[in-house]
Amino acid sequence: MMSYLKTTPTREGYFGEYGGASLPPPLEPHFREISEAYDRLSKSAEFIRELRYIRKHFQGRPTPVSYLRNLSQKLGGAQIYAKREDLNHTGAHKLNHCMAEALLAKHMGKTKLMAETGAGQHGVALATAAAYFGMECEIHMGEIDIEKEAPNVTRMKLLGANVVPVGFGGRSLKEAVDSCFQAYVPQADTALFAIGSVVGPHPFPMMVRNFQHVIGIEAREQFLEMTGELPDMVAACVGGGSNAMGMFAGFIEDAEVELYGVEPRGTSSNLGDHAATITYGQDGEIHGFKTMVLTDENGDPAPVHTLASGLDYPGVGPEHAHLYRTGRAKYTWADDKEALQAFYDTSRYEGIIPALESAHALAFALREAPKHPGRSILINLSGRGDKDIDYVTETYGFGA
Ligand SMILES: *Cc1c(COP(=O)(O)O)cnc(C)c1O
């Protein structure tokens, strides 16, 4: 039998009924070109060798799996382990797909990388990749986000990126996507639009999953080596869903391993107070692909809220919608309060300050562990929390 990863998505980019690509006609040939280049290059020994070299000698991979001994003992239930993507260069998993997208762009003869960014994490990772490859980089960012996320704007500029302020509409992530798409159309011959998660039109959800798969491949091998068996439960936070898909891909053929996506429930289950798309959303379309979405009464993407700005998206990668429908993965949530407590506890008891995004996966582990003595939970610690410490301590203090 052909493996799940080789047969999913279909050639047209469908994960079951989700995914696909509905593009403005001028972009169709460019996405076809990206698809063909990916199919060819991802099987080329040279491309694979270059990517492995970058991962080892620039990113610092493999990242370790750590046993969270103190929290596991304190809770007295399941043993908790964390895959340490916070130790990947630039401090999160995003560089895994940015370096690979940039390498793809280089092989396609492109000279420029473009993307939108919300909190600036994707922008920083892409600007890093552009600097490494000596490529131009153009990042579209809402004016409100530029003000809120000044340190990331500084990083992008130091890395040589051109940060384009977006001043229309809500002046935030959604407008940044629109602005970047507009700017990309006339430049698509020489630039690559590097999408920042397992979202967007085909081939990005498949490509970004495959570039992130390294997380799951490493984690499976490391966990086996540490414990002699596979984890019982694997969990990751889900915004667009790239760190979760990378982790899940490593275990998806292991039917006995339970997969859990953890969505941000923000402050309540009311529309506008959370970004838990699978938990509270329904089937729809966003940014050129079919998936599950959160929509307002007019059918437009709903406003979302979470403490973790990297999880702030009213849609979700199509493969997550598919895994939810087939039941292969389960989707649950953690709210702002639980994530904040996990942020404090992991800092104080394990010596790891996690990103607020990753704190959602940790919150799941801390909640579930007492219920499952004798079992093991492996979470993906998608990034480090340095970016969050000022906000957290100024708003909430140092924790109880
Ligand atoms: C951006 C980000 C996320 C969310 O992105 P996914 O595509 O859902 O993985 C999670 N954790 C960190 C640290 C991030 O920077």
Side-chain angles (χ1 to χ4, degrees):
M1 204 179 78
M2 285 277 274
S3 73
Y4 170 88
L5 293 174
K6 289 211 164 162
T7 53
T8 320
T10 63
R11 292 215 44 87
E12 291 74 37
Y14 280 94
F15 303 86
E17 59 194 284
Y18 301 106
S22 60
L23 290 159
L27 285 181
E28 277 172 14
H30 296 290
F31 274 70
R32 211 174 312 122
E33 183 202 0
I34 296 168
S35 229
E36 285 165 8
Y38 174 74
D39 286 345
R40 182 166 35 82
L41 288 165
S42 62
K43 289 175 187 65
S44 110
E46 188 194 349
F47 184 89
I48 293 166
R49 193 170 54 241
E50 283 178 35
L51 194 53
R52 286 193 174 151
Y53 180 92
I54 289 166
R55 285 172 173 167
K56 181 169 176 187
H57 298 285
F58 182 64
Q59 293 181 229
R61 305 200 68 89
T63 59
V65 164
S66 299
Y67 171 42
L68 304 189
R69 180 187 317 274
N70 299 329
L71 286 170
S72 299
Q73 286 179 355
K74 197 164 130 66
L75 293 165
Q79 306 299 311
I80 306 170
Y81 294 78
K83 174 65 171 165
R84 300 290 306 281
E85 288 305 292
D86 58 316
L87 297 178
N88 198 28
H89 179 45
T90 70
H93 70 286
K94 284 195 175 73
L95 201 65
N96 297 334
H97 64 250
C98 284
M99 292 306 290
E101 284 178 321
L103 182 63
L104 179 74
K106 189 191 99 175
H107 277 266
M108 291 174 74
K110 309 279 186 197
T111 54
K112 181 170 182 175
L113 300 170
M114 298 178 69
E116 79 292 341
T117 196
Q121 298 299 107
H122 177 52
V124 169
L126 196 66
T128 302
Y132 179 94
F133 287 104
M135 298 173 90
E136 261 186 90
C137 187
E138 180 176 314
I139 303 294
H140 292 245
M141 189 170 187
E143 282 175 355
I144 293 197
D145 294 326
I146 288 181
E147 221 166 280
K148 274 200 332 215
E149 310 287 347
N152 276 342
V153 177
T154 305
R155 285 186 189 101
M156 286 185 268
K157 288 183 176 167
L158 278 172
L159 292 160
N162 175 24
V163 180
V164 179
V166 178
F168 59 88
R171 299 186 292 150
S172 187
L173 180 62
K174 189 191 162 295
E175 291 76 23
V177 176
D178 297 338
S179 164
C180 193
F181 256 109
Q182 266 172 30
Y184 171 62
V185 174
Q187 307 184 60
D189 280 334
T190 52
L192 181 82
F193 192 154
I195 293 178
S197 186
V198 286
V199 299
H202 180 67
F204 281 90
M206 168 187 75
M207 221 163 67
V208 172
R209 172 197 73 193
N210 293 349
F211 291 149
Q212 289 291 349
H213 188 187
V214 65
I215 298 176
I217 293 173
E218 287 177 7
R220 187 178 188 280
E221 203 178 296
Q222 291 163 325
F223 194 92
L224 269 171
E225 192 200 307
M226 285 173 94
T227 70
E229 54 185 39
L230 291 175
D232 296 306
M233 303 157 85
V234 165
C237 65
V238 177
S242 65
N243 87 88
M245 255 347 291
M247 186 66 149
F248 289 2
F251 297 93
I252 204 147
E253 319 276 355
D254 302 310
E256 72 274 27
V257 177
E258 297 169 14
L259 307 175
Y260 292 90
V262 186
E263 298 193 307
R265 207 193 62 143
T267 52
S268 90
S269 60
N270 296 334
L271 196 66
D273 286 351
H274 63 80
T277 307
I278 293 181
T279 307
Y280 298 115
Q282 62 272 309
D283 289 354
E285 200 176 311
I286 188 169
H287 295 140
F289 65 104
K290 291 202 183 77
T291 186
M292 294 180 74
V293 290
L294 293 168
T295 46
D296 64 16
E297 63 281 4
N298 302 321
D300 294 324
V304 282
H305 163 82
T306 147
L307 267 189
S309 51
L311 302 180
D312 227 334
Y313 186 57
V316 68
E319 192 163 16
H320 286 293
H322 175 59
L323 294 177
Y324 167 69
R325 292 292 180 203
T326 61
R328 177 62 189 95
K330 296 192 169 63
Y331 292 82
T332 176
W333 50 263
D335 63 21
D336 282 357
K337 237 174 118 184
E338 292 172 299
L340 196 59
Q341 193 59 49
F343 174 90
Y344 288 131
D345 288 346
T346 310
S347 301
R348 182 163 307 176
Y349 298 111
E350 295 294 343
I352 301 168
I353 301 176
L356 283 172
E357 291 81 6
S358 324
H360 286 74
L362 287 158
F364 168 82
L366 303 185
R367 184 173 75 207
E368 290 300 313
K371 303 179 203 163
H372 302 284
R375 303 187 83 202
S376 57
I377 306 177
L378 170 65
I379 67 107
N380 193 24
L381 211 161
S382 54
R384 65 175 182 229
D386 303 46
K387 66 184 178 56
D388 299 315
I389 58 176
D390 290 343
Y391 171 73
V392 167
T393 55
E394 281 161 23
T395 317
Y396 301 99
F398 286 82

